[in-house]
Amino acid sequence: MPARPHSPGAYPPGAYSLDHLVLPTASLDVARARLVSLGFVVAPTGTHPFGTENCCVFLEDGIYLEPLAVGNAQAAAKAIADGNVFVARDRAYRDSCGNEGFSALVLGTQNADADHARYVEAGLSAGGMLSFSRAFTDAAGNSDTASFKLAFASGNGATDAFLFACERINAPKVDRGALQVHANGATGIIEVVAVSSEPSEQRRLISIATRSPATGQGSSTAFDLPNATLTLLDPAAFETRFGIPAGAPSELRFAAIVFSVRRADTVAKLLAASSVEHDIRGDDIVVRPVSGQGAAFVFQEKA
């Protein structure tokens, strides 16, 4: 279905919804094995036309995880030379933080051109826009083509995490139902947690990218999206909440994902059976990041 025409400044009011999360990894095989051990169903490998590849985890609420690896280093290098911001930022993140992590938060938009104009006007553009298409295959082997247009925003740091707006020019006409039923009972994402030792420097970036005003101050700031909350903590507040040292990142770092699950005891039993180390902190089941899982995964029971 072709995109509807928009004027450069036209977009609906209100905060943007969380679309998906980008989790760099050195190996999709390692990421797939790790995610399966956590009770997730993982989609077949998808290949981008610019050297990267993914194996996504789709959730009932429409949000998904995108573990991302470099499948063709030569194509990725050419894409960077040609000005592909997505691949360039992925390379910069890996060079700075290693091959395992959580590099980008993606917001759904109906007009990526207008978002790019907003980012440029605010001095937050991370570079030129990107349009591309790729094949998509569901669990039954049915295929279609997915097409996207992306606009990128970041702070002053060259290697910090970033946010981008994703406009779906063509959504795959395939059934994802089988990919959304997970053994751990995960149904969606409640919250994404970011960390910075200078959170005041990051509030403007996040607020403009999400179109959501910041609430709270000091060590904890929240941005309410229609389908999730984005929380910005300083390192001490992050460690207090999750029991995981966060270091002292001055730039923006995405660090934790909070999933809604049907039953916490189901998750605990599954993790124990898979020999996955985890901590119980109040109502949270916390799994620390390891290879193939670039962020802390937190499971919360929600009726």
Side-chain angles (χ1 to χ4, degrees):
M1 182 174 65
R4 292 176 298 175
H6 296 276
S7 64
Y11 42 80
Y16 283 167
S17 293
L18 179 60
D19 188 90
H20 67 278
L21 309 174
V22 182
L23 302 166
T25 184
S27 166
L28 290 189
D29 289 339
V30 172
R32 185 183 299 276
R34 177 62 177 179
L35 291 165
V36 168
S37 76
L38 296 173
F40 291 104
V41 173
V42 185
T45 297
T47 302
H48 295 141
F50 33 74
T52 52
E53 59 186 10
N54 62 28
C55 60
C56 296
V57 172
F58 296 99
L59 299 162
E60 287 181 15
D61 65 356
I63 304 171
Y64 66 95
L65 308 181
E66 184 184 13
L68 185 77
V70 179
N72 183 327
Q74 184 175 0
K78 182 179 185 304
I80 293 171
D82 291 342
N84 185 310
V85 174
F86 180 78
V87 184
R89 294 296 304 218
D90 178 69
R91 169 72 62 81
Y93 183 92
R94 292 173 191 271
D95 288 347
S96 175
C97 304
N99 282 316
E100 308 291 334
F102 178 2
S103 62
L105 182 145
V106 188
L107 303 156
T109 183
Q110 296 180 23
N111 190 348
D113 292 302
D115 293 307
H116 177 67
R118 288 195 303 116
Y119 301 159
V120 170
E121 183 178 4
L124 296 173
S125 174
M129 298 180 68
L130 174 64
S131 297
F132 72 98
S133 298
R134 72 170 182 85
F136 177 90
T137 304
D138 67 12
N142 300 310
S143 297
D144 196 359
T145 299
S147 299
F148 309 91
K149 183 182 286 187
L150 312 180
F152 304 93
S154 72
N156 294 326
T159 59
D160 58 347
F162 64 109
L163 303 93
F164 62 90
C166 176
E167 179 182 356
R168 298 176 186 277
I169 307 300
N170 184 63
K173 300 176 181 65
V174 291
D175 182 9
R176 286 179 175 168
L179 295 172
Q180 295 174 343
V181 181
H182 304 286
N184 57 21
T187 58
I189 291 174
I190 304 168
E191 182 184 12
V192 175
V193 183
V195 181
S196 174
S197 58
E198 299 176 3
S200 61
E201 298 296 319
Q202 311 299 341
R203 289 181 188 132
R204 178 173 177 267
L205 163 65
I206 296 173
S207 186
I208 289 174
T210 62
R211 298 201 312 177
S212 174
T215 58
Q217 56 185 352
S219 63
S220 178
T221 307
F223 302 84
D224 292 326
L225 310 183
N227 58 347
T229 298
L230 172 55
T231 303
L232 177 61
L233 302 177
D234 69 18
F238 183 86
E239 183 170 0
T240 297
R241 179 172 171 185
F242 297 113
I244 301 173
S250 59
E251 297 179 352
L252 184 66
R253 291 283 180 266
F254 295 119
I257 304 166
V258 183
F259 298 90
S260 59
V261 297
R262 291 188 171 88
R263 292 182 60 91
D265 59 350
T266 297
V267 177
K269 290 175 183 177
L270 185 151
L271 296 177
S274 299
S275 300
V276 173
E277 293 185 8
H278 57 283
D279 299 318
I280 309 296
R281 298 182 66 85
D283 294 331
D284 293 341
I285 299 174
V286 180
V287 181
R288 296 187 178 215
V290 298
S291 296
Q293 177 204 327
F297 280 15
V298 183
F299 299 95
Q300 239 180 55
E301 182 175 319
K302 295 293 179 182

